[in-house]
Amino acid sequence: MISLEKFGILDEAKSAFAAGDRERALALAHQYAIEVVPELYDATPEELPEIIGPLSMLYAKMEEWELAALKYADICAYTEKYFPGTVYTASDWWRLSWYRKKNGDVHGALHALERAALHMRQTERWSRLERTYEEERNALQGMAATVSEAPE
């Protein structure tokens, strides 16, 4: 499991961002990302999202959508392998879709949304969420069509 010292780096990054020091926050987030790499090799399936997730969420809070999406994609790949067909994996893909959408990657957002639906369909919650999924899919498809038609 990751040491409290390493989580402390992430806490410092959050504090720096809250204090308005974006550059320091990004530098500390990057330091955390580098220092946890060795920990990832020994992480259990349950621990990996707990190690990477807070970093991705900090990036999202800072509106660093590309970095948030890149880190969260790692979580999705991992949870899809170890926890397929679960609400947790579906929600990870849904969050990745949102991060990609915020980053302007409409096609990537649509792909992540489809992965979310694939996993959610295997749960009892699908019947309650199907309409929300369809609305979001239709919105993303409309955005994708607009992006594809835009002149360069």
Side-chain angles (χ1 to χ4, degrees):
M1 184 60 187
I2 189 168
S3 71
L4 291 177
E5 179 182 320
K6 290 181 183 170
F7 273 128
I9 297 168
L10 202 54
D11 288 339
E12 282 184 61
K14 291 174 187 176
S15 295
F17 180 69
D21 191 346
R22 182 181 189 80
E23 283 186 41
R24 177 157 168 70
L26 282 170
L28 287 164
H30 182 67
Q31 179 184 347
Y32 173 83
I34 291 170
E35 290 195 20
V36 299
V37 167
E39 309 272 347
L40 299 177
Y41 293 106
D42 297 324
T44 66
E46 293 79 14
E47 291 171 338
L48 187 121
E50 293 172 6
I51 295 169
I52 300 175
L55 176 61
S56 179
M57 289 179 205
L58 174 61
Y59 285 142
K61 187 174 187 176
M62 296 173 70
E63 296 185 1
E64 291 286 339
W65 301 115
E66 183 177 13
L67 291 171
L70 287 169
K71 290 297 168 202
Y72 222 80
D74 290 339
I75 292 172
C76 291
Y78 201 78
T79 58
E80 185 167 75
K81 178 177 179 172
Y82 290 101
F83 308 105
T86 66
V87 171
Y88 305 107
T89 300
S91 67
D92 287 339
W93 281 101
W94 192 281
R95 182 184 301 263
L96 178 60
S97 176
W98 189 72
Y99 288 169
R100 286 177 171 171
K101 180 180 172 183
K102 295 294 278 183
N103 190 45
D105 179 5
V106 179
H107 295 287
L110 188 55
H111 170 77
L113 183 68
E114 294 295 342
R115 300 304 301 167
L118 174 79
H119 292 280
M120 189 58 78
R121 282 186 184 104
Q122 299 174 46
T123 73
E124 69 283 347
R125 294 186 186 177
W126 175 247
S127 62
R128 289 181 279 162
L129 296 172
E130 185 174 10
R131 183 177 176 153
T132 303
Y133 157 76
E134 289 173 359
E135 290 170 357
E136 183 66 11
R137 183 196 64 211
N138 291 341
L140 285 171
Q141 285 175 335
M143 292 171 70
T146 302
V147 169
S148 296
E149 295 172 3
E152 292 186 34

